[in-house]
Amino acid sequence: MKILVAGGTGFIGTNLCAELARRDHEVTALARSPDADAVPDGVETAMGDVSAYDSIAETVAAHDAVVNLVSLSPLYQPTGAADHDAVHLGGTENLVRAAEDGDVDRFVQMSALDADPGGDTAYIRAKGRAERVVRNSSLEWTIFRPSVVFGDGGEFVGFTKQLTTPYVTGLPGGGRTRFQPIWVGDLVPMVADALEADAHVGEIYEIGGPDVFTLADVTRLAYEAEGRSVTVLPVPMALAKVGLTAIEPVPFVPFGGDQARSLEMDNTVSDNDVTAFGREESTLRTLESYLGLTPDGADTRQPERV
């Protein structure tokens, strides 16, 4: 199968390209400024901007399937809320249109938990509107809604450390926001399976890892992996929202009002759809093992933290 991975030079994209190449697919990574050295051997690159239809139409039409991984991070503040619509909604509209015009069969959309056109943040609203575009298309589509994804090159652990300090740190609401982190090495084979099996067409999958952690838990684990401890002090959520909203216009500050609102929303699945891919939560890699706090393969599952 000839597969185009839009956003193929990013964190999830490079891992997915490698997985698809291992399965003997012809893979092309689409990016605005593609770097051939950033993709695995055997993967081609193509230049294109999903926000500009004419720059991608010909490339899309030359493939059998498209995976849309192009995304702005929900963890950091973009230059403006309109960026989310331009990238997530507009980019999806252009990819879907190009796929329909080019007679592409399969389309996989990487969305987000709680994607909702009427959601509380610009990121969630744009992701929800993009899902609607995909669902209303004539394509054989599959939508993934993962919790935060961790792994080499990922930003989740780094974001946690950027938001905090070692030894003593404050966290909005005491860091009670819950996450269900999934290792990129567990996620990408599921995406590859969705491209290959007709049973996944027309499905929306919520995907999470084996454990639920609060932001405070993740903070402690991140510093423990460096041999340092941290005491988390609660910052009233109302005060945190005022502070983050106030610094939103400051250049080079990557946080703002949307990030404050996102810290009021848990990022966990109601039913973990990893079972649709023949996996059980107990077989997934844990965040502790990735950080080197437990041996790989050790059963570190714990009751949900609150």
Side-chain angles (χ1 to χ4, degrees), residues 144-147 182 187 190 205-208 269 272-274 277:
F144 282 85
R145 294 175 174 175
S147 184
I182 177 81
L187 176 63
M190 300 180 201
Y205 295 118
E206 294 193 354
I207 303 293
V269 304
N272 203 340
D273 290 323
V274 298
F277 300 92

Side-chain angles (χ1 to χ4, degrees), residues 24 36 59 61 101 121 144-145 151 155 158 160 163 181 183-184 202 216 225-226 233 243 245 259 273 282 290 294 303:
D24 295 324
T59 301
D101 290 349
T121 68
F144 282 85
R145 294 175 174 175
E155 65 184 20
T160 303
L163 190 65
W183 181 47
V184 67
E226 297 179 345
L233 302 178
T245 301
Q259 284 63 46
D273 290 323
S282 61
Y290 171 75
T294 62

Side-chain angles (χ1 to χ4, degrees), residues 197-223:
D198 291 342
H200 300 300
V201 172
E203 297 292 342
I204 300 176
Y205 295 118
E206 294 193 354
I207 303 293
D211 298 308
V212 172
F213 297 103
T214 65
L215 183 59
D217 292 329
V218 176
T219 300
R220 296 184 187 100
L221 291 173
Y223 287 112

Side-chain angles (χ1 to χ4, degrees), residues 93-158:
E93 287 174 333
N94 285 332
L95 282 169
V96 165
R97 175 186 165 196
E100 291 179 325
D101 290 349
D103 294 325
V104 173
D105 296 323
R106 194 65 62 89
F107 194 97
V108 172
Q109 175 83 351
M110 189 64 68
S111 187
L113 287 178
D114 298 318
D116 181 353
D120 291 334
T121 68
Y123 174 81
I124 289 299
R125 289 192 295 273
K127 284 289 193 181
R129 292 166 186 161
E131 280 194 13
R132 186 164 56 195
V133 170
V134 174
R135 294 196 310 269
N136 290 338
S137 74
S138 62
L139 303 170
E140 296 178 349
W141 55 264
T142 306
I143 295 173
F144 282 85
R145 294 175 174 175
S147 184
V148 292
V149 184
F150 68 89
D152 294 350
E155 65 184 20
F156 179 51
V157 175

Side-chain angles (χ1 to χ4, degrees), residues 7-23:
T9 60
F11 164 52
I12 297 176
T14 52
N15 284 276
L16 177 60
C17 285
E19 175 70 19
L20 293 171
R22 280 194 294 269
R23 299 186 184 203

